[in-house]
Amino acid sequence: MVPLALKWPLASMSFLLSSLLTLLAVSAPSWCQNSDSTSPKASNGSPFPWNKMRLPEYVIPAHYDLMIHANLSTLTFWGTTEIEVTASQPTSAIILHSYNLQISKATLRKGAGQGPSEEPLRVLEYPPHEQVALLALEPLLVGLPYTVVIDYAGNLSETFHGFYKSTYRTKKGEVRVLASTQFEPIAARMAFPCFDEPAFKASFSIKIRREPRHVAISNMPLVKSVTIAKGLIEDHFDVTVKMSTYLVAFIISDFESVSKMTKSGVKVSVYAVPDKINQADYALDAAVTLLEFYEDYFSIPYPLPKQDLAAIPDFESGAMENWGLTTYRESALLFDVEKSSASSKLGITMTVSHELAHQKNHSFKALNDLWLNEGFAKFMEFVSVSVTHPELKVEDYFFGKCFNAMEVDALNSSHPVSTPVENPAQIREMFDEVSYEKGACILNMLREYLSADTFKSGIVQYLQKYSYKNTRNEDLWNSMASHWRQETVDVKAMMNTWTLQKGFPLITITVRGRNVHMKQEHYMKGSNSAPETGYLWHVPLTFITSKSDSVQRFLLKTKTDVLILPEAVEWIKFNVGMNGYYIVHYEDDGWDSLTGLLKTTHTAISSNDRASLINNAFQLVSIGKLSIEKALDLTLYLKHETEIMPVFQGLDELIPMYKLMEKRDMIEVETQFKAFLIRLLRSLIDRQSWTDDGSVSERMLRSQLLLLACVRKYQPCVQRAEGYFRKWKESNGNMSLPIDVTLAVFAVGAQNTDGWDFLLSKYQSSLSSTEKSQIEFALCVSQNKEKLQWLLDQSFKGDIIKTQEFPHILTLIGRNPVGYPLAWQFLRENWNKLVQKFELGSSAIAQMVMGTTNQFSTRTQLAEVKGFFHSLEENGSQLRCVQQTIETIEENIRWMDKNFDKIRMWLQHGKPELL
């Protein structure tokens, strides 16, 4: 699954659409505990025979026969589930999951399939754990197959999970309804009673009843369709491979599709609403190419005869890897050749790659090691797309994922990538930056250390050995080690330091002649001295020097060590290409030497190395290891920079400074700082053409620079954007704007009432996801409070603007200097409704919490945030995103108290005049 906040390669570094005014918050996890220590009582008052959140392991499912009939008019469904089970110890109680389902009948048959005798099962429900107990008259015999038959009914969910309702409006204005599924992590229980934990793998035979005007699709190909009655058809789908319940999927809709075959004969299809099926071709071609790549890379044939990709009109996250039927937000799959942006093409390719990588590694899913599943798929995005779509240059963006993860991982409220989970909120909130981005970064670090060939051999052996099984961390490390010939390195011991400990190391480098002294400590924000956690990592260090650009390596396993250079050097740069998950501090004149290098010949080191220096410098300011003046001095070289990653990293460090000032009464310094930023990048801004020419990176850089310039009221940009908007409006929106400048043009046009209203009218009729997101952004940067309040109300209501957009809109308005009090108020007043719609512990809730509060920087705001979330008790007070935002606000206060006057002095008397 791809949480929306993680979907786009650059949005996760906070600097795509929302970077310039919004700096989107990261997804973060909840750690709520709600298990009941007393003896549980079923809903009818009877004793419930199981008191744990996780299911017992002595009843095991082998196969499910599902029949589901959904009525898209009444928005209800009913079904029959037959589950073949065996018991490993005698028991009279079969415990499984069911949530918001009305079970009308349950029976037990001896043997698999159709047996002669059925005995009734007594049904007990325990809603706090979303469990039911089916009680037999006599204990099940060990090893004997039984079939449990359950008849039930339910309502299509009004949320974004389970078996839920989605709608769309046709070009003619007709509203049409469809039903789709989203079961990860624990929502299959909302569609059928089941053993809803990933370790309980089974095969599935699925039958769907539908009206003739609809189409049903599921994980496997259609075997046959049977007419049950007039106006009612039952579709029978082939039996699945053995898999977890969260991977089951089915959709009933009027979608249309386009298809192609891979070289090995796998049919790939993209499904979408009829009005948008013409936008499916890019994703279809990408999916075919990527599936062929994965078959070759893993040396494992794709195990299913088909792979469907479906664009769902209402979808909370970015995408979902259901086996054989991956589902997506429309914006993550559909590409409009005339209107979609370069970043959209990059994002779609990466998202499709991520979900198809999952099709090879569904063995990775044990709850404690979710990161193996998601981190691996995130990592494989870059491995695959760098080969299949080299023009996208995805390798340029990888290290930004690591910086994104480090922002979260530097807080005391972080967690190891491998973490035990129990309750639903804990499970949902493991889908965060640490599981995805850090997981990918440490896998990349291991590949760089072992070599790409060794890493690949280990992965292939692992997948071949553990296909369809549940696995643990060490199974992967052992597979890697078997291909690694250096006996002095223990791969498992090395990687345990990265997976079983939270956080990451700060490496301090002190050069004394030819001697390089290295020291590692736990980097953690919140104090100027490193906390004594006692953590040590096995750190695969890399470095280059002024005398040699060949990469040198050193494995640091102790707190301190020394390496000896062949000769003295003018400068040394560690963590080459940012392939390691650590940051570096250079003591004495180390930073001065590197700042001087950037000032004189910045191209002596790679653009990734330049960006990592910018990032590391400001991370060190946060813990008092480097002065803010030195970090700002380093950024002055950016006036000569032309590459996307250092420029974006500079924006990622500098923009938050004035965003903090916007939420205090600091208008004078805030204005000076914004002016400094434009002066710093003015030469690069002036060189941007208002066209769609150039590579993907050049186009993305152009789009962001012009947006920054226009939003910061740089007049040459504003005047040109106003001219474009006026002509576009006069053409009733029919004039074709250069895609790369559209965001800047819309942002300027939305600053007056007529322009804002016109953009909204175009939003409602647009069929392009890129255009809609550009208009959405522009509407949210308005300085009109009434307009902003209307956006909050309407996007939550879901009629004019879909509710799936609400978390993003709330965050955008939360970053708006005029709108942030409205966003914070809306979150507080509607908390219970938000949790009901988006679920406690979801990445959407975390995005909203962080997006509305984590740029606060006053003690009054901190007290307000603490007071509100404390009052929620079990309905949110223990969410990890709440802990994170409180830590972040405390850090903001410390940072501003320490650095604001220094910034003011630096601006008034210091280096900016050199620009």
Side-chain angles (χ1 to χ4, degrees), residues 636-648:
L636 292 176
Y637 101 91
L638 285 170
K639 66 182 178 182
H640 303 300
E641 185 60 83
T642 58
E643 297 288 329
I644 186 171
M645 299 321 294
V647 172
F648 276 14

Side-chain angles (χ1 to χ4, degrees), residues 174-294:
E174 178 192 353
V175 175
R176 293 188 181 173
V177 178
L178 61 127
S180 184
T181 58
Q182 168 61 45
F183 291 160
E184 190 177 37
I186 49 170
R189 63 191 69 174
M190 297 173 67
F192 57 96
C194 58
F195 296 81
D196 200 14
E197 292 177 16
F200 292 105
K201 291 179 165 63
S203 55
F204 294 81
S205 296
I206 297 173
K207 301 182 183 73
I208 302 291
R209 292 185 179 177
R210 60 172 174 86
E211 295 179 43
R213 64 195 173 101
H214 290 133
V215 173
I217 52 177
S218 186
N219 302 83
M220 296 297 287
L222 181 68
V223 175
K224 64 178 179 178
S225 296
V226 179
T227 301
I228 300 293
K230 186 178 180 182
L232 186 64
I233 294 171
E234 184 176 271
D235 290 330
H236 295 221
F237 297 92
D238 212 344
V239 183
T240 71
V241 293
K242 196 175 177 184
M243 65 187 192
S244 304
T245 49
Y246 78 92
L247 293 169
V248 173
F250 36 86
I251 302 169
I252 304 167
S253 69
D254 65 345
F255 285 174
E256 294 181 1
S257 65
V258 291
S259 305
K260 280 189 176 180
M261 302 291 284
T262 68
K263 293 173 185 173
S264 60
V266 177
K267 184 180 181 182
V268 180
S269 304
V270 176
Y271 286 80
V273 302
D275 289 343
K276 297 181 182 178
I277 195 64
N278 63 331
Q279 300 178 35
D281 291 339
Y282 178 77
L284 179 62
D285 290 341
V288 169
T289 303
L290 286 160
L291 207 55
E292 290 172 348
F293 169 85
Y294 283 132

